[in-house]
Amino acid sequence: MITLHHLEESRSTRTLWLLEELGVKYEIKHYKRTKVGLAPPELKAVHPLGKSPVITDGDLTIAESGAITEYLIDTYGKGLFKPLPGSPEAMCNTYWMHYAEGSLMPFMLLTIIFNRVEQAPWLVRPITKGISGQVKKAFINPNIKTHLGFVESELADREWFCGDTLTGADFQMVIPLNAAKTNGFTRAHPNIEAYLARVHARPAYKAALQRGA
């Protein structure tokens, strides 16, 4: 039996969505964030890094979103969500699987971090907001604009990231794009907005949100 160790408001939502799409039986163990927004120490009993998502499946313990996505699709997908080896779609899938966490998500995390910096105690808040604003203006926001412009153009002529069917790339990409939407970066990107609307409308995605709540 698969067990998903699910941290609230985390990237493990993509794993929940994938499990629901696959229709496999699984258990979910919920974890609450600490007062400062970090994963609780109990997760270190599952994996030494103490992060989520982590799954256990029999004797296997697997961390890292991309590794989990690949494992679940390879083991339980029965051909779903994985393009034929050697096809253009396969290369596309590999690219976006890596791009999601390697290129786009770091800028989303920087946004979250600097938003928190701006909420420093009132005495120093004018200073922290000034520093944060400069970093966002000079570095974070221009990079986000470049990346989202790229993603927007890639979604111009296809329903999902690698064609007309879901692949692992979509499960990986939904998290940074959700973060971009939450932070108001997708308003000028109708293709991204339409893509997220398609994801959010899927029954499996809705079920994942309910189970993860």
Side-chain angles (χ1 to χ4, degrees):
M1 174 73 75
I2 301 165
T3 300
L4 170 64
H5 298 268
H6 172 65
L7 177 65
E8 61 179 349
E9 298 179 2
S10 76
R11 280 172 271 191
S12 56
T13 299
R14 62 164 54 109
T15 306
L16 268 172
W17 176 31
L18 175 55
L19 287 166
E20 290 292 330
E21 292 280 1
L22 290 171
V24 297
K25 292 183 179 179
Y26 68 95
E27 299 175 339
I28 181 170
K29 186 171 183 181
H30 292 267
Y31 297 83
K32 296 289 186 181
R33 291 185 179 274
T34 65
K35 291 182 179 180
V36 294
L38 300 177
E42 290 82 3
L43 272 169
K44 286 192 174 180
V46 184
H47 188 275
L49 293 181
K51 302 295 183 181
S52 176
V54 176
I55 65 166
T56 52
D57 190 10
D59 294 332
L60 287 174
T61 299
I62 306 171
E64 292 295 335
S65 296
I68 293 169
T69 297
E70 288 192 283
Y71 171 79
L72 290 175
I73 290 174
D74 287 345
T75 306
Y76 297 100
K78 298 179 181 179
L80 288 174
F81 312 135
K82 186 173 184 178
L84 291 174
S87 67
E89 291 79 12
M91 187 65 251
C92 171
N93 182 57
T94 297
Y95 175 79
W96 292 109
M97 286 275 293
H98 288 274
Y99 173 89
E101 291 293 321
S103 293
L104 184 55
M105 194 63 193
F107 291 108
M108 296 299 109
L109 289 174
L110 285 172
T111 298
I112 293 168
I113 291 168
F114 278 92
N115 284 346
R116 290 179 181 174
V117 167
E118 293 177 4
Q119 302 305 311
W122 68 269
L123 189 62
V124 297
R125 191 171 298 169
I127 298 173
T128 60
K129 288 189 74 172
I131 294 171
S132 174
Q134 287 300 312
V135 174
K136 287 179 179 179
K137 181 179 179 181
F139 179 68
I140 299 174
N141 291 353
N143 275 287
I144 290 174
K145 182 178 180 180
T146 297
H147 279 280
L148 292 185
F150 167 59
V151 174
E152 176 76 4
S153 67
E154 291 292 303
L155 289 173
D157 59 354
R158 52 183 183 256
E159 186 173 6
W160 306 107
F161 268 94
C162 295
D164 57 2
T165 59
L166 285 171
T167 64
D170 296 289
F171 298 100
Q172 289 299 107
M173 283 297 295
V174 69
I175 295 299
L177 291 182
N178 275 342
K181 182 176 176 63
T182 298
N183 285 281
F185 292 119
T186 62
R187 295 190 188 108
H189 298 88
N191 294 332
I192 294 175
E193 289 276 357
Y195 171 82
L196 288 174
R198 287 193 291 274
V199 172
H200 297 168
R202 293 184 70 85
Y205 189 85
K206 294 178 180 179
L209 293 184
Q210 290 179 347
R211 290 209 65 181

